[in-house]
Amino acid sequence: MSEPPGQPFLEAWLCASRQCIRLGGARGSSRALAGLAADQPLHFRFRLPEGRQPAKPFRVEGLQVIVDFR
């Protein structure tokens, strides 16, 4: 599926507890969750941009989060 330039196909956030950070792309780094307990579970949230409907159902796979712990 081709996408218009500058318009994401899927909006994504990485969340810990009640705090979420919006993901700007497939790769990146952030210190936004620094200081949270290392034993908290992380989860992703996804949303289609308003007005977007996929042509068929799709699956998000192969997600990876690397956490530096000091």
Side-chain angles (χ1 to χ4, degrees), residues 12-57:
W13 292 263
L14 177 63
C15 303
S17 186
R18 294 183 188 169
Q19 183 176 356
C20 295
I21 57 169
R22 180 149 190 217
L23 303 177
R27 294 176 178 255
S29 63
S30 175
R31 294 193 45 80
L33 300 176
L36 297 177
D39 62 350
Q40 286 190 36
L42 299 173
H43 64 276
F44 289 95
R45 289 188 160 202
F46 299 98
R47 177 178 79 175
L48 290 172
E50 195 167 322
R52 299 292 307 262
Q53 293 296 323
K56 60 183 180 177

